[in-house]
Structures are given as C-alpha cells and as structure tokens.
Amino acid sequence: MLFGTGVALMVGLLVVALLVVPVSFGVAARADAKVRRPAESRASYPNPVGAVAVADVNVRCDRWRQLATRAWLICGGASLVAVAVVGVLICVG
C-alpha cells in the first residue's frame, strides 16, 4: 500500500467519523427527550384512562429507549474512531 493512499483512507475515515458523531448525538438526544416526556406525563397523571393507553406508552418508551441506547453507542464509537485516527495521523505525519 502506498503511503499517500493510506493517509487518504485515514483522512476519509476521519471525515466519516466526524460526520457520524453529531448526527448520532442529535438522534440520541432527541430519543432521550422522547423517553422522558411520556414518563413525566405518566407521573403527573397517576390514574390513566385505560390499560391499553398505558401499554401503548410503555411500548413507545421502550422503543425510544432502545433507539437512544443505540445512538449513544454509535456516537461513542464514532468518537473513539475519530480520536484513534487523529492519533495515527499525528504519529504518521
């Protein structure tokens, strides 16, 4: 592998990682907000209208919670990749 090609691939990987970080951060923050909103509304109304409404809210909260967890993991992973690539580029350069 040529030196220039390896550096170009590393820079490309860095660019992709730096694009993934803010997108996944935004998705994670939005999903966390969606999880908290129904939880707060359930706490303010201790006697819900019906069991179906509570089950529906619980299912939606679980889905948003799973999305938030995945998005936070992707954000953290992309951040680690970006830091590692920068470290390699500093050592190479």
Side-chain angles (χ1 to χ4, degrees):
M1 181 182 261
L2 296 172
F3 177 71
T5 306
V7 172
L9 288 174
M10 294 295 282
V11 170
L13 181 62
L14 177 62
V15 168
V16 169
L18 290 177
L19 290 173
V20 168
V21 169
V23 171
S24 61
F25 182 82
V27 170
R30 176 78 175 166
D32 275 344
K34 289 277 192 179
V35 169
R36 287 191 183 102
R37 190 177 318 146
E40 290 171 357
S41 66
R42 277 188 305 211
S44 62
Y45 298 108
N47 296 324
V49 175
V52 175
V54 172
D56 184 42
V57 169
N58 287 338
V59 168
R60 280 188 281 148
C61 280
D62 288 341
R63 288 182 186 157
W64 282 110
R65 190 173 291 115
Q66 289 173 356
L67 177 64
T69 301
R70 288 183 192 132
W72 283 121
L73 289 172
I74 290 170
C75 183
S79 298
L80 290 175
V81 167
V83 168
V85 170
V86 167
V88 168
L89 288 173
I90 288 172
C91 290
V92 169

